[in-house]
Amino acid sequence: MSALGELRRVKGQPVARQRKQNKVAFLFLLPWFIGLALITVGPMIASFALSFTRYNLLSPPRFNGLDNYVRMLEDERLHKALAVTFQYVFVSVPLQLGLALLLAIVLDRGLRGLSLYRSAFYLPSLLGASVAIAILWRQLFGVDGLVNIVLGWFGIEGQGWISNPETALGTLMILNVWTFGAPMVIFLAGLRQIPVMYYEAASVDGASRRQQFRHITLPMLTPIIFFNLILQLIGAFQSFTQAFVVSGGTGGPVDSTLFYTLYLYQQGFANLNMGYASAMAWLLLVIVAALTAINFWASKYWVFYDDQD
């Protein structure tokens, strides 16, 4: 074999090995791609097509153009559902992140039994969206619930917090705030990554704890805050179980807990308006995508990355 042929053979070995590794990696990823196509992309395409039809599950879909989207402009219950959902998201998510950050800072001070506290605080995040917790919440805030019993100890007459339209949504916000465990754990991990030398240098310069928090902790945590904000924002828009269980699936009283997802469910599975429900699902996707894009655009003004100039 000539020298040139030997050189080609030697050069070809890494390429062949890399191709073999790529095939192995692709085989491991293949189940995920199949799931993506069958469980995510396929239903999304079908949902988009159904959004231009009148479909009740019992007869074949009939094309009706943009009627479903035009109908959404005149649907007062949909507007109410949007108002309730926006109120729920924009009030509960900041409160949840604020509480999570506060507790993460407290736990970061090196308390004894940190693992126990961390597990105890994380537990609500696992259970908060469950049916059992929603039922428990309904009992807690009922007329004869624990909340009114505690208020009675202080001479305060309670009420049916869930049956009152003015307070029903507030109870669901409290439930969402209570599930602060997941963002708290992420905040705690972020706090542990801040180099101690920054605080030492600030202490030498005479900076107080408040100044250290404002000028070191918060800027260094902004990527974590941004990450948690995006996750919790998307999750809050998808909230369903709590409103369904607490209101008995009606969104009551007086549509005060009518989340967008609950109204979508009513249209799709109670009224069998699958075409209209599909159009509503795409509107929700557009809203979440738009808010996420706005947050990414705004992040360049307040999120600090360590590798920035």
Side-chain angles (χ1 to χ4, degrees):
M1 181 180 293
S2 65
L4 183 59
E6 180 65 17
L7 180 61
R8 287 175 176 171
R9 190 184 67 81
V10 172
K11 283 186 175 180
Q13 281 182 353
V15 175
R17 189 182 302 120
Q18 187 174 2
R19 287 179 177 173
K20 185 178 179 180
Q21 291 175 347
N22 289 342
K23 288 180 181 178
V24 173
F26 181 76
L27 285 176
F28 277 103
L29 289 173
L30 188 58
W32 183 85
F33 281 117
I34 293 175
L36 177 68
L38 297 180
I39 301 176
T40 303
V41 178
M44 285 183 68
I45 295 174
S47 170
F48 186 69
L50 288 174
S51 70
F52 298 100
T53 66
R54 183 185 298 274
Y55 181 45
N56 62 5
L57 287 177
L58 304 177
S59 57
R62 288 185 300 172
F63 181 75
N64 64 354
L66 297 174
D67 285 359
N68 290 327
Y69 292 95
V70 174
R71 178 183 167 189
M72 285 195 287
L73 298 175
E74 304 169 349
D75 190 343
E76 294 184 357
R77 285 201 82 200
L78 183 140
H79 301 162
K80 175 68 176 179
L82 280 173
V84 169
T85 304
F86 276 114
Q87 189 178 354
Y88 172 78
V89 172
F90 291 141
V91 173
S92 67
V93 170
L95 289 176
Q96 182 196 52
L97 293 182
L99 180 61
L101 178 58
L102 176 64
L103 286 173
I105 292 172
V106 172
L107 293 179
D108 189 48
R109 294 179 181 275
L111 296 176
R112 288 185 177 179
L114 175 61
S115 301
L116 176 63
Y117 287 119
R118 191 167 48 198
S119 302
F121 289 143
Y122 185 71
L123 193 59
S125 290
L126 300 177
L127 303 175
S130 67
V131 174
I133 292 299
I135 294 174
L136 174 65
W137 218 251
R138 191 171 59 186
Q139 299 300 323
L140 284 175
F141 287 93
V143 177
D144 301 322
L146 181 62
V147 173
N148 283 342
I149 293 175
V150 173
L151 289 176
W153 295 344
F154 300 95
I156 302 174
E157 185 177 355
Q159 58 174 318
W161 301 95
I162 290 176
S163 58
N164 187 340
E166 296 181 356
T167 57
L169 182 60
T171 62
L172 296 182
M173 290 179 182
I174 294 173
L175 176 55
N176 191 41
V177 173
W178 182 61
T179 59
F180 58 84
M184 183 206 69
V185 171
I186 298 174
F187 278 137
L188 190 57
L191 288 169
R192 296 294 173 88
Q193 297 300 317
I194 300 176
V196 180
M197 63 179 181
Y198 292 161
Y199 295 104
E200 293 174 346
S203 298
V204 171
D205 291 339
S208 63
R209 285 187 175 274
R210 180 180 299 179
Q211 289 172 321
Q212 291 178 20
F213 176 77
R214 180 180 176 185
H215 297 289
I216 298 175
T217 306
L218 268 184
M220 297 297 287
L221 269 185
T222 49
I224 306 296
I225 296 173
F226 177 64
F227 176 75
N228 272 331
L229 175 64
I230 296 296
L231 283 187
Q232 298 307 317
L233 192 73
I234 295 174
F237 270 106
Q238 296 174 332
S239 296
F240 170 78
T241 307
Q242 304 92 325
F244 181 85
V245 174
V246 168
S247 69
T250 64
V254 201
D255 288 345
S256 58
T257 60
L258 185 65
F259 285 2
Y260 190 87
T261 50
L262 179 56
Y263 186 51
L264 190 155
Y265 170 83
Q266 290 178 350
Q267 288 293 334
F269 296 95
N271 302 333
L272 298 183
N273 292 327
M274 283 294 175
Y276 188 58
S278 298
M280 287 182 60
W282 276 94
L283 175 62
L284 179 62
L285 175 65
V286 170
I287 291 172
V288 173
L291 288 175
T292 304
I294 291 172
N295 274 301
F296 268 93
W297 171 79
S299 67
K300 61 184 178 183
Y301 296 107
W302 65 275
V303 177
F304 170 77
Y305 293 101
D306 204 18
D307 57 350
Q308 284 181 329
D309 295 332

